[in-house]
Amino acid sequence: MLSEAEQALLSLLRENARASTAELARRLGVSRTTVQSRIERLELRGIITGYGVRLAPDYEQGLVRAHVLLTVTPKLADKVVRGLRALAPVRTLHSVSGNFDMIVIIDAPSIRDLDMLLDQIGAMDGVERTLSSIILSTRIDR
């Protein structure tokens, strides 16, 4: 379980993982040393496992993003995961409950590329069914 202070620090890092310890300390009202030690503890505990890149909205607006729901053959699920991991446009893969087994979030440079990618995913050994939805806009992204 995380303390309120750790949760506040993680929230700031989600906003800007490149923020300096001085900036984080100022916003949290603590010393830089305190911030640095909290970050190190979170890393050692495996809560922070890395830092990522946030793309500019202008760049992302040029991409076609879609959710692809998959039904997979249970015995071939690991093979499907490996196949999806090898596709660069795949951003996220979720295992879910319900009528589908997985949700894949993909970014493609064009509708044509998205169409080809969906065909490629649908043709994977172990994929029984797909249902895709193009994301028109993102209202909240934390």
Side-chain angles (χ1 to χ4, degrees):
M1 183 102 187
L2 295 177
S3 69
E4 284 185 34
E6 290 168 329
Q7 289 176 10
L9 175 58
L10 287 178
S11 179
L12 292 176
L13 288 171
R14 281 187 190 112
E15 282 179 29
N16 180 6
R18 292 186 55 158
S20 68
T21 54
E23 170 68 12
L24 294 169
R26 185 187 63 72
R27 291 186 63 189
L28 293 169
V30 298
S31 71
R32 289 187 320 223
T33 306
T34 299
V35 168
Q36 189 59 46
S37 66
R38 284 183 185 156
I39 290 172
E40 288 172 8
R41 266 197 320 269
L42 290 167
E43 289 172 343
L44 287 171
R45 290 170 53 196
I47 293 168
I48 295 176
T49 59
Y51 300 88
V53 173
R54 293 188 79 145
L55 301 174
D58 288 345
Y59 172 77
E60 286 192 325
Q61 284 178 344
L63 298 174
V64 181
R65 179 170 282 166
H67 288 178
V68 184
L69 288 75
L70 303 179
T71 301
V72 300
T73 306
K75 291 185 178 183
L76 296 175
D78 287 342
K79 185 175 184 178
V80 171
V81 171
R82 285 192 304 274
L84 292 169
R85 185 174 282 125
L87 298 174
V90 171
R91 294 291 167 241
T92 310
L93 174 61
H94 302 280
S95 177
V96 297
S97 63
N99 294 332
F100 292 89
D101 302 307
M102 299 176 185
I103 299 175
V104 186
I105 300 173
I106 56 177
D107 288 340
S110 68
I111 293 290
R112 181 173 181 260
D113 290 320
L114 175 64
D115 187 38
M116 291 188 310
L117 184 60
L118 293 173
D119 288 344
Q120 189 176 359
I121 291 171
M124 285 182 175
D125 195 25
V127 174
E128 295 177 357
R129 180 173 153 220
T130 67
L131 176 66
S132 58
S133 296
I134 293 175
I135 299 171
L136 299 176
S137 68
T138 300
R139 306 287 173 100
I140 298 173
D141 184 14
R142 292 184 183 155

